[in-house]
Amino acid sequence: MSNQIQNTPTHGSSSSSQPPSNQQHHQQEPQPQPQPLSRYESQKKRDWNTFGQYLNNHSPPVPLSQCNFNHVLEFLRYLDQFGKTKVHLQSCIFFGQPAPPAPCTCPLRQAWGSLDALIGRLRAAYEEHGGSSETNPFGGGVIRSYLREVKECQGKARGIPYKKKKKKRNQIKGPNQSAKVFKQSAS
């Protein structure tokens, strides 16, 4: 089947009185379908809608224009109930063990990496929806500090130290120059 609309006169229809021409027929190409959203864009849209729903369900509801970092922190803590990452309490015998041998009653939380990515998407969505970067409640120092605390706490509790990744240097081609780069990195 063809997606093109055909200009064929039919009896009893309300078509125009002009006969179809070849030029008109070639101009009536189907409209291109909008590109599907990327995974990132889909997640960002879903996260933005979830945060908006959270604010609407707040008692009393909070308009986005009055949202501040406290609402963001409440939202992040609210999301912990849906987490899948076991974070051992200091009183747990498995505290600091990356692979505990038995189950325990410690709570499940949102993983630090998930929260960090979520905040990045929400910060971008806020600005896309007309918010300014200066008033962005997702980009403030309090939120960065909270994420840093979650990262350190989860790292200690799970026995997984988070280390900052070193940036890779651009490789310079050539036998003489690669020796220089090696000597510089060794110093």
Side-chain angles (χ1 to χ4, degrees), residues 88 90 95-97 151-162:
H88 300 288
Q90 283 188 332
F95 181 83
Q97 293 184 23
K151 177 182 178 182
E152 291 169 3
C153 175
Q154 287 187 7
K156 288 177 187 173
R158 298 177 66 222
I160 303 170
Y162 290 105

Side-chain angles (χ1 to χ4, degrees), residues 35-51:
Q35 291 289 334
L37 295 176
S38 68
R39 182 173 182 224
Y40 171 79
E41 292 296 328
S42 296
Q43 286 179 319
K44 183 169 57 172
K45 184 177 180 180
R46 184 193 65 222
D47 294 339
W48 182 251
N49 291 337
T50 302
F51 183 70

Side-chain angles (χ1 to χ4, degrees), residues 153-169:
C153 175
Q154 287 187 7
K156 288 177 187 173
R158 298 177 66 222
I160 303 170
Y162 290 105
K163 295 180 181 176
K164 193 170 188 175
K165 294 181 181 178
K166 294 180 181 179
K167 292 183 180 179
K168 294 183 180 179
R169 300 182 99 180

Side-chain angles (χ1 to χ4, degrees), residues 79-80 82-87 89 107-111 154:
L79 290 177
D80 269 342
F82 308 110
K84 297 176 184 169
T85 300
K86 179 74 74 169
V87 179
L89 302 173
L108 295 174
R109 301 269 189 244
Q110 288 288 336
Q154 287 187 7

Side-chain angles (χ1 to χ4, degrees), residues 109-122:
R109 301 269 189 244
Q110 288 288 336
W112 164 78
S114 299
L115 292 177
D116 188 46
L118 170 71
I119 289 298
R121 291 189 299 267
L122 289 172

Side-chain angles (χ1 to χ4, degrees), residues 17-113:
S17 60
Q18 293 181 339
S21 71
N22 286 341
Q23 288 180 342
Q24 285 180 335
H25 183 66
H26 290 293
Q27 291 175 353
Q28 293 182 355
E29 294 179 12
Q31 293 292 328
Q33 295 293 328
Q35 291 289 334
L37 295 176
S38 68
R39 182 173 182 224
Y40 171 79
E41 292 296 328
S42 296
Q43 286 179 319
K44 183 169 57 172
K45 184 177 180 180
R46 184 193 65 222
D47 294 339
W48 182 251
N49 291 337
T50 302
F51 183 70
Q53 191 64 41
Y54 174 80
L55 292 178
N56 286 337
N57 292 340
H58 206 273
S59 185
V62 178
L64 190 60
S65 61
Q66 294 179 1
C67 170
N68 60 36
F69 68 88
N70 286 319
H71 299 109
V72 175
L73 290 174
E74 288 174 13
F75 178 65
L76 294 177
R77 290 181 186 120
Y78 160 78
L79 290 177
D80 269 342
Q81 67 184 313
F82 308 110
K84 297 176 184 169
T85 300
K86 179 74 74 169
V87 179
H88 300 288
L89 302 173
Q90 283 188 332
S91 59
C92 179
I93 58 172
F94 302 129
F95 181 83
Q97 293 184 23
C104 67
T105 59
C106 292
L108 295 174
R109 301 269 189 244
Q110 288 288 336
W112 164 78

